[in-house]
Amino acid sequence: MTLGSKRKTPPGVQLLRRIRGRNWSPKTFRYVILLITFIAYACYHASRKPSSIVKSVLHPEPSSTKPPPQAHIINERPWPLGNVFVKEEADANNESKGWEPFNGKGGTSRLGEIDVAFLACYSIGMYVAGHLGDSLDLRLFLTWGMIGSGFFVGLFGMGYFWNVHAFWFFLAMQMAAGLFQATGWPSVVAVVGNWFGKRKRGLIMGIWNAHTSVGNICGSLIAAGVLQYGWGWSFIAPGFVMSLGGVLVYLFLAAYPEDVGFPDINSNSGKFIKRNRDIEEEEESVEADVERECEGSGFRYENKRSVGLLQACMIPGVIPFALCLFFSKLVAYTFLYWLPFYLSQTTIGGEYMSVKTAGNLSTLFDVGGIVGGILAGYISDKFKARATTAATFMYAAIPAMLVYHSYGGVSQTVNIVLMMVAGLFVNGPYALITTAVSADLGTHKSLQGDSRALATVTAIIDGTGSAGAALGPLLTGFLSTLGWEAVFYMLVVGALCAGLLLTRLVIAEIREKLGYVDEAAASEPLLNDIR
């Protein structure tokens, strides 16, 4: 199959070509790819934050409730019998009484169950989405994933306006949203891997991976900002932004260099293969010229086959890093889903803070995460030691979390500093494994360049990690009833397991640095085929 009959150029890129009269350079396309995928995955994470922000509204602490204001019954019947939206709350007591079915004795457990429903479907869907991402057009796959996810996140919020109190409704919306969310991570990592080689991949992806924390911050601010108008808006607003992000991806994301008239990149150098003939600026000329060049040089663009899950699992390093990410995401996602609730239910400087303030304050954990992701990427590039860097960060996260729990209530300033330090060490290895490590393994030399495995490997690693991400919030829902000390002990055990699972790869990296590695051991770890 020739290049011209492959995927279509994004319509937005076609329009810009006609307006400008020429094509962008490969360097410009790379900047655009980084920006669009950054925005896309920031939207994914922003749409995951509302449930953590509204937890204290759905299940308020009985001791901290305020006297209920006068009730105003506006719409006793849910949509479609009543109005789709109501300007006033259906019951002004909702904010202090919570929202059935989450305001009862087992409210925290139910909140944990909808979190695990979302993340379990996300984890299961990841394995399927990764294989599909290597087989289908990533641009269209990502577009429909974002629009579908935004739709179901918005439907969860509509339960507020429709006066829905059935637990199965909220559970079903979270499960559907989780399946669509699974399209995101394998797709964006594969797109970036298609455009960038391995040189300085850790640093580039460490900076790029800030989209996770930026999305968390934006999602928290949006959800907390509209909370005063009713908790339903905290879901509808991020869901709408998510759908708009899908439209942006459809219009402008060139998932492969071939889609815009460039040959594939050399994965060893990260540079585009030069041809004898200059590529014409008009779209038709570009594709025709590249096709003629390929045929003249004996090169024929073929649609690379996607590897199976079992074959991808056999790539050296995939299983250890996948298991490490299981515990790493268990820790990270417990903070993601429960930190605002924890802040609103504990005293800081002798006072309780409002739900909105707790949501805003929790964003500083992700500010530390941005620094941690960049720092982990830079260190792993400099020392060419992905496993050692990830393990070191996980071990350092243990005292950071214990100190935060013990002294975070001294004052707001101390809480902020300790929270950012904990975010740095918790999110650092999580960011490194889900980006640079996944991309390294997805282009591992054992594939011999004849397979497309980026999305599949990313899905295996992040899918396994997402199982841990589902377990952490679920356990927190139960353990929090015993006290927050039990939750932090769980986080410490998770971080310790994450570090220990990389022990074999860490030893291999150290032996390699010291010059004691033999040929068999050298082929095992890894991933550091950066040279």
Side-chain angles (χ1 to χ4, degrees), residues 436-452:
V437 169
S438 296
D440 285 350
L441 295 174
T443 55
H444 194 268
K445 61 185 179 182
S446 64
L447 296 171
Q448 299 177 345
D450 65 348
S451 301
R452 175 168 286 142

Side-chain angles (χ1 to χ4, degrees), residues 21-346:
R22 57 193 176 90
N23 196 22
W24 280 334
S25 67
K27 183 177 181 180
T28 301
F29 268 113
R30 279 178 162 175
Y31 286 129
V32 172
I33 292 301
L34 284 178
L35 177 62
I36 294 177
T37 52
F38 186 99
I39 294 173
Y41 209 68
C43 290
Y44 272 95
H45 263 263
S47 66
R48 297 177 193 175
K49 284 298 292 183
S51 64
S52 68
I53 299 299
V54 304
K55 275 186 171 71
S56 295
V57 175
L58 300 178
H59 179 76
E61 186 75 14
S63 61
S64 62
T65 56
K66 301 177 182 178
Q70 183 180 0
H72 299 280
I73 306 300
I74 300 299
N75 179 25
E76 295 183 349
R77 294 181 297 178
W79 183 90
L81 299 178
N83 297 327
V84 177
F85 292 98
V86 291
K87 293 184 179 180
E88 296 86 4
E89 295 186 22
D91 187 349
N93 291 331
N94 281 340
E95 185 173 349
S96 58
K97 293 170 59 177
W99 188 270
E100 190 180 351
F102 304 108
N103 59 349
K105 183 178 180 181
T108 55
S109 297
R110 284 197 175 96
L111 290 171
E113 287 168 10
I114 64 170
D115 286 343
V116 77
F118 171 89
L119 292 167
C121 289
Y122 175 76
S123 177
I124 295 171
M126 187 75 71
Y127 294 98
V128 178
H131 185 69
L132 290 176
D134 281 330
S135 307
L136 304 176
D137 185 341
L138 284 171
R139 178 174 63 93
L140 297 179
F141 188 59
L142 192 57
T143 296
W144 286 111
M146 295 184 70
I147 294 176
S149 179
F151 175 74
F152 284 106
V153 169
L155 277 184
F156 188 103
M158 289 304 297
Y160 169 80
F161 297 99
W162 296 341
N163 201 21
V164 176
H165 296 279
F167 179 65
W168 67 264
F169 172 83
F170 299 107
L171 191 68
M173 293 304 102
Q174 285 288 77
M175 292 174 69
L179 288 174
F180 278 95
Q181 286 261 336
T183 62
W185 190 241
S187 299
V188 295
V189 172
V191 170
V192 173
N194 289 336
W195 281 89
F196 290 85
K198 293 186 177 181
R199 194 174 69 88
K200 295 185 178 179
R201 178 177 277 170
L203 177 59
I204 292 173
M205 286 194 155
I207 297 173
W208 173 74
N209 192 64
H211 53 49
T212 298
S213 296
V214 170
N216 291 339
I217 292 170
C218 293
S220 297
L221 295 178
I222 293 173
V226 299
L227 186 60
Q228 58 184 313
Y229 304 109
W231 64 260
W233 286 111
S234 295
F235 287 87
I236 294 172
F240 178 71
V241 172
M242 177 74 158
S243 298
L244 288 181
V247 175
L248 176 69
V249 166
Y250 175 77
L251 293 176
F252 296 103
L253 181 66
Y256 310 87
E258 303 94 312
D259 290 357
V260 286
F262 297 108
D264 203 354
I265 64 170
N266 184 328
S267 60
N268 291 324
S269 66
K271 296 180 180 179
F272 286 87
I273 302 171
K274 293 183 179 180
R275 306 295 179 188
N276 295 327
R277 181 186 293 228
D278 292 333
I279 298 177
E280 297 293 329
E281 295 173 343
E282 293 297 331
E283 180 185 4
E284 295 80 3
S285 300
V286 167
E287 295 181 347
D289 287 346
V290 172
E291 188 174 338
R292 285 195 296 270
E293 291 168 7
C294 293
E295 292 174 353
S297 60
F299 174 86
R300 185 175 180 81
Y301 178 78
E302 299 288 345
N303 187 23
K304 296 180 181 179
R305 63 183 177 87
S306 59
V307 302
L309 288 175
L310 182 60
Q311 182 182 354
C313 287
M314 299 304 294
I315 298 173
V318 168
I319 297 301
F321 274 111
L323 294 176
C324 172
L325 191 62
F326 176 93
F327 290 100
S328 179
K329 289 191 75 169
L330 182 150
V331 176
Y333 269 67
T334 298
F335 278 100
L336 174 68
Y337 279 94
W338 286 93
L339 183 57
F341 185 79
Y342 170 75
L343 291 172
S344 67
Q345 305 300 326
T346 56

